[in-house]
Every structure is written in structure tokens, then in C-alpha cells.
């Protein structure tokens, strides 16, 4: 049975895991450097964005295997053999553009709804991708439903933790906080999604047959 303590533990997990905490700080510094570095920053962004999304899948797999998350490795930035692992970047980019469009056209309520749905569905998509390594499979509603059904009531914990992360991102954007703060909370939100999703996979004690 889930308790508020379980949810709190998951919310704080990236801060309690040394490797994840260091990764959070490492990528926050890199993203900040990229944003303020002009043309060099654009080049840097092409390396660190794919590397970060690959790290999310590494975190989810590690937690699914009941292992500690590994430290950031240089191999994360070499993705020629793991193009499938970059697909979450495409999904997040499309969702981000849709949310930005809604917010910029005065439909902030719908933007918040879209942000919440993104953070509800992304853990399912990452889980399917972690299991199948297939960009196509992670988009199929039937596969997402299968994962959600397998997680059962633990999906409520996943939703709670993920949407809380999305709420943090919304607050930093809404109140126009410093860029480094927005980056920090955004990356933390994504680490929460990968972490709690992997934990939900581990609880089932068996790989979902997809």
C-alpha cells in the first residue's frame, strides 16, 4: 500500500542518490553555458540534449534493475549506435512547442493541461522504450496502456511524482525566475520521471511482456 512517505521518498530520490545529484548539477551547468554562449552554445546543445535524454533511460533501467544510477559517462554523448534512445527528445520537443504555442496565444489553462498530460504520459513512453528499444512501440497507445495497467495503483504514485515535477517547471516559467533556476528544476523534473518510472518497473518484479 502506497503511503505519503513513499511519494516523498520518490520526490527526493534524485537528491539522495549521489550520481543523480551530480548529474543534475553537471547538466545544469552545461545547459546554462550553452544558453549564454551564442553560436558555441548551439553546438554544445546538440551534444548535451541527446546525452541528457540518454541518461534518463539509463536511470530508468538502473532503477528497474534495483541498482544505483551510474555516473554520467562519455558514452552518453556517443549515440550513433543507440538512435532509438533519442526519441524521447523528439516527443518532449513536440510537446514543448505545443505548450509554448498555447501559452503564447493566451490559452494558459490549456497549456497547463498539456503540460500535465505530458508528464503523465512520458513515464509510460520511457518505460516502453526501455523495454523494447523501439521508437514506434513507445508511441502506441495499447503499449502505454499495458504498462499503466501493469503498474496498477503504483501508476498513481508515478503520476503524482511526475506531475509535481511538471508543476515545478510551470512555476519557474510563470514567475520568470533566473534561467539557471528554471534549468535546474526542469532537469530535476525529468530525472523524477525516469526515476519513479524505473521504480514502478522494479516493483512488478518481472519485465512487462510487450
Amino acid at each position: 500500500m502506497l503511503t505519503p512517505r513513499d511519494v516523498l521518498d520518490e520526490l527526493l530520490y534524485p537528491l539522495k542518490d549521489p550520481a543523480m545529484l551530480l548529474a543534475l548539477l553537471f547538466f545544469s551547468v552545461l545547459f546554462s553555458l550553452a544558453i549564454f554562449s551564442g553560436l558555441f552554445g548551439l553546438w554544445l546543445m546538440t551534444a548535451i540534449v541527446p546525452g541528457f535524454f540518454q541518461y534518463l533511460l539509463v536511470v530508468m533501467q538502473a532503477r528497474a534493475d534495483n541498482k544505483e544510477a551510474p555516473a554520467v559517462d562519455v558514452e552518453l554523448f556517443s549515440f550513433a549506435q543507440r538512435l532509438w534512445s533519442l526519441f524521447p527528445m523528439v516527443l518532449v520537443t513536440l510537446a514543448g512547442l505545443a505548450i509554448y504555442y498555447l501559452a503564447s496565444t493566451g490559452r494558459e489553462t490549456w497549456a497547463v493541461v498539456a503540460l500535465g498530460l505530458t508528464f503523465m504520459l512520458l513515464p509510460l513512453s520511457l518505460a516502453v522504450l526501455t523495454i523494447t528499444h523501439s521508437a514506434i512501440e513507445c508511441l502506441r497507445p495499447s503499449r502505454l496502456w499495458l504498462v499503466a495497467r501493469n503498474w496498477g495503483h503504483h501508476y498513481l504514485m508515478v503520476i503524482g511524482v511526475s506531475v509535481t515535477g511538471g508543476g515545478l517547471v510551470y512555476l519557474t516559467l510563470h514567475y520568470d525566475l533566473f534561467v539557471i533556476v528554471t534549468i535546474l528544476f526542469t532537469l530535476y523534473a525529468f530525472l523524477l520521471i525516469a526515476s519513479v518510472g524505473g521504480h514502478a518497473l522494479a516493483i512488478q518484479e518481472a519485465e512487462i511482456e510487450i
Side-chain angles (χ1 to χ4, degrees):
M1 174 130 180
L2 290 175
T3 66
R5 178 60 183 270
D6 294 328
V7 177
L8 181 61
D9 285 343
E10 286 304 312
L11 283 171
L12 297 178
Y13 190 89
L15 300 180
K16 296 187 295 184
D17 184 286
M20 290 180 67
L21 178 58
L22 287 175
L24 174 62
L25 297 175
F26 174 73
F27 279 108
S28 295
V29 170
L30 285 183
F31 273 104
S32 299
L33 180 63
I35 289 175
F36 294 110
S37 297
L39 292 177
F40 171 74
L42 291 176
W43 175 83
L44 185 59
M45 200 68 84
T46 61
I48 59 178
V49 172
F52 178 71
F53 278 95
Q54 288 209 69
Y55 186 70
L56 294 182
L57 292 173
V58 169
V59 168
M60 178 170 275
Q61 185 65 65
R63 292 219 64 194
D65 294 337
N66 287 309
K67 298 177 181 178
E68 292 186 357
V72 175
D73 190 274
V74 68
E75 291 185 1
L76 290 174
F77 303 95
S78 176
F79 45 85
Q81 304 300 320
R82 299 180 61 195
L83 291 177
W84 58 268
S85 67
L86 303 183
F87 199 69
M89 179 178 65
V90 178
L91 294 178
V92 171
T93 300
L94 293 175
L97 290 174
I99 293 167
Y100 175 78
Y101 171 76
L102 291 171
S104 62
T105 54
R107 288 172 277 189
E108 188 168 321
T109 299
W110 286 109
V112 173
V113 171
L115 181 65
L117 287 174
T118 298
F119 277 80
M120 287 174 61
L121 296 176
L122 190 57
L124 299 175
S125 184
L126 286 176
V128 174
L129 191 62
T130 299
I131 295 167
T132 65
H133 296 181
S134 169
I136 295 177
E137 292 295 321
C138 77
L139 283 179
R140 294 179 62 180
S142 61
R143 300 304 187 236
L144 303 184
W145 166 247
L146 183 60
V147 174
R149 186 180 65 182
N150 184 274
W151 281 351
H153 67 279
H154 293 288
Y155 184 43
L156 296 177
M157 177 179 66
V158 174
I159 290 176
V161 172
S162 299
V163 172
T164 298
L168 293 175
V169 175
Y170 169 76
L171 290 175
T172 60
L173 294 173
H174 181 74
Y175 290 104
D176 197 22
L177 300 181
F178 292 113
V179 172
I180 183 62
V181 176
T182 300
I183 291 172
L184 193 64
F185 277 91
T186 301
L187 299 186
Y188 182 67
F190 282 114
L191 284 174
L192 281 177
I193 289 175
S195 176
V196 73
H199 178 61
L201 286 175
I203 289 175
Q204 302 310 312
E205 299 181 351
E207 187 174 276
I208 302 171
E209 295 184 2
I210 294 181

